[in-house]
Structures are given as C-alpha cells and as structure tokens.
Amino acid sequence: MPEERLVLSERAGHVATLTLNRPQVLNALSPALIDELIAALAACDADDEVRAIVLTGGPRVFAAGADIKAMAEASPVEMLTRRNIERWSRIAATRKPIVAAVCGYALGGGCELAMMCDVIVAAETAQFGQPEINIGIIPGAGGTQRLTRALGPYRAMELILTGAMLSAPEAHQHGLVNRLTPPEACIPEAQRLASLIAERPPLAVQLAKEAVRAAAETTLREGMAIELRNFYLLFDTADQKEGMRAFIEKRKAEFRGR
Ligand code: DAK
C-alpha cells in the first residue's frame, strides 16, 4: 500500500488547494508533514499554472500545533540541528499568495502557520491560540511577533501568557481574520477569494505581496524602497502593457504572467 500523503494537493483553474492530512492527530505538524508542505508550496511557486494557493486543514481542524510527541524529549541541540527555523521560514517565503481556510483549531504552530498566510478565512467555530505556555515553552515560529502585530501588544500578551484561545469572531473583530463563514462555507469561500486573486496579473500580485509583507518586516524607509523597486519593475512586464491597453480600449485584460 502506498504511504498516505501528509499534504494533499489539487488544482482547479489557477488555484491550488493544499490540505494538511493527519486528521487523527488534529493535523499535528510533524517534521515529515512540514517537509511535504514545503515541497508542495515550492511546487506551486514553480508552476506557472498556479497563481494563488489555499491552505487548509480540512473541514474540522486547521492544525493543533507542532507534534508534541516529536519534540517532548528533544535536547536544545537536537531542536537546533533539526533546522526548524530555516524550514519554517521557507513556508513564509512562498512568493505566491496563500489564503488560509481555518475550519477548526489553529493552535501553536498551527496559528503561526495560519499567520504565515496572506489572507485568513475562518469558520465561525474556529479557534486560534498560542497555548505553548501550558506545556512549558513559548511560541517558536513567529507567534510572539506576528500575533502582536495582528492584535496589538496587550491582547497578544494576554493570549500568550495564559494560553487561552481566541474565538474566530473575536479574531475577526481584531483584524486577524479577513472573513468569517459558516463552517461548511469556509473552504469554498477561501477558494473563491483565491480565484479572485488568481484573475489578477500574477507578477503584480507577487510583487504586491512582497511589498505588503515588507511593511511588517522592515522600516518604513526600506519598505518604501521595496515598493518603488517593484512598482518600476512592473513596467517591464507584458501584463502591465496589456492591463493599461485593455483599460484604454475598454475591454477585459488577458493576463499571462509575463
Ligand atoms: N501534537 C501531537 N498530537 C496532538 C497534538 C499536538 N500538538 N494535538 C492533538 N494531538 C493528538 C492527541 O494526542 C490525540 O491523539 P490520540 O490520543 O487520539 O492518539 C488526538 O490528537 C486528538 O486530540 P485530543 O483527544 O486532545 O482532542 P480534544 O478535542 O480533546 O482536544 C485540543 C483538542 C486541540 C484542545 C488538544 O488536542 C490540545 O490541547 N492539543 C495540543 C495543543 C497545543 O498545545 N499546541 C501547541 C503545541 S507546541 C518551531 C516551530 C513550531 C513550533 C515551535 C517551534 N520552530 C520553527 C523552532 C510549535 C510548537 C507548538 O505548536
């Protein structure tokens, strides 16, 4: 029997949907699953047919965190030599936009993974949180930084110090979630949003993503420099010529990602 894939991948039009596939352990993010996810995202980045990605954990859960059983007895040196930081940063470095469809728990590394995505669609019943404190550690894949930027320092501090969960409606109210849906509509809504993005010129989408990301990761001066560089660069693309000509000729633009 072939081994079960830990990340399922399917494509409809220009949208790839990646589904974490360890439902029996609430998609606990084992090193093997993270490796498959990195490979699947790299394949999306390399495939011209893919213009936007939906990342989901399926209809019941997003991910309940890194696999506790895989790290319970690890030493600091083992944790270091597993090169997790480098591996996880490859997820965040994906060039194409990722829409997360969070249909249940997004906890610990699961919440951090959702926050590495660019847009978050959540079911009303979903729950977010960084419960690492309850097992004697703190977030290690960006939770203290990205949650703080998303929610502000006081709310993030309370969640990280208590390990409490944040309901999807609260997360939506505080700007961590873009859209709230009934549970069964979460994945289709993420796919709809991804298709909308996929209709836009792909290179402009990727360079816009890079520039918006820079706002959270660099100074205003550096961010402005990245924005300007990308702005000028787009005048060298066929899609910029097509987009502007189509506007002037009052027709729909046909973008080719060139
Ligand atoms: N790891 C391993 N197994 C897990 C798991 C996890 N994080 N979460 C759930 N499971 C497993 C359970 O052990 C159980 O397996 P069996 O006992 O059936 O074999 C199965 O999933 C179902 O879970 P429960 O029976 O517990 O289900 P409940 O509905 O009662 O509770 C729950 C759901 C989500 C409240 C509960 O499972 C829970 O509290 N899970 C743990 C949540 C958690 O503490 N998450 C944070 C883990 S630490 C880093 C990158 C990432 C990280 C750190 C560093 N670097 C790049 C350096 C991330 C760290 C973490 O995420």
Side-chain angles (χ1 to χ4, degrees), residues 169-230:
E170 288 173 289
H172 182 242
Q173 200 188 330
H174 300 302
L176 177 62
V177 162
N178 294 70
R179 281 164 200 225
L180 267 187
T181 68
E184 66 286 357
C186 181
I187 297 173
E189 175 61 12
Q191 288 169 327
R192 196 190 66 76
L193 211 52
S195 326
L196 211 60
I197 296 170
E199 285 173 18
R200 306 298 184 253
L203 292 173
V205 164
Q206 287 169 38
L207 295 188
K209 166 172 172 165
E210 185 192 22
V212 174
R213 283 287 181 93
E217 292 168 7
T218 61
T219 61
L220 180 63
R221 186 184 291 268
E222 276 176 80
M224 294 291 285
I226 292 169
E227 178 184 278
L228 256 195
R229 183 199 65 198
N230 290 0

Side-chain angles (χ1 to χ4, degrees), residues 24-26 28 64-69 71 84-85 88 107-109 140-141:
Q24 67 287 3
V25 286
L26 309 182
D67 193 328
I68 298 171
K69 291 169 192 161
M71 63 184 164
N84 276 335
I85 296 286
W88 280 67
L107 301 177

Side-chain angles (χ1 to χ4, degrees), residues 5 26 35 61 79 83 121 241:
R5 303 291 303 267
L26 309 182
D35 284 342
V61 65
M79 289 302 281
R83 310 191 87 75
V121 175
K241 299 288 175 285

Side-chain angles (χ1 to χ4, degrees), residues 94-140:
T94 305
R95 284 183 293 108
K96 293 182 182 168
I98 310 179
V99 180
V102 178
C103 306
Y105 292 119
L107 301 177
C111 186
E112 291 167 312
L113 182 59
M115 291 190 292
M116 286 179 193
C117 298
D118 304 298
V119 174
I120 302 180
V121 175
E124 290 142 355
T125 47
Q127 306 244 47
F128 294 80
Q130 299 288 164
E132 288 89 340
I133 202 83
N134 296 329
I135 52 169
I137 57 170
I138 66 170

Side-chain angles (χ1 to χ4, degrees), residues 46-63:
D47 183 349
D48 285 347
E49 288 303 308
V50 175
R51 296 184 178 182
I53 301 161
V54 169
L55 177 60
T56 182
R60 271 182 296 283
V61 65
F62 187 69

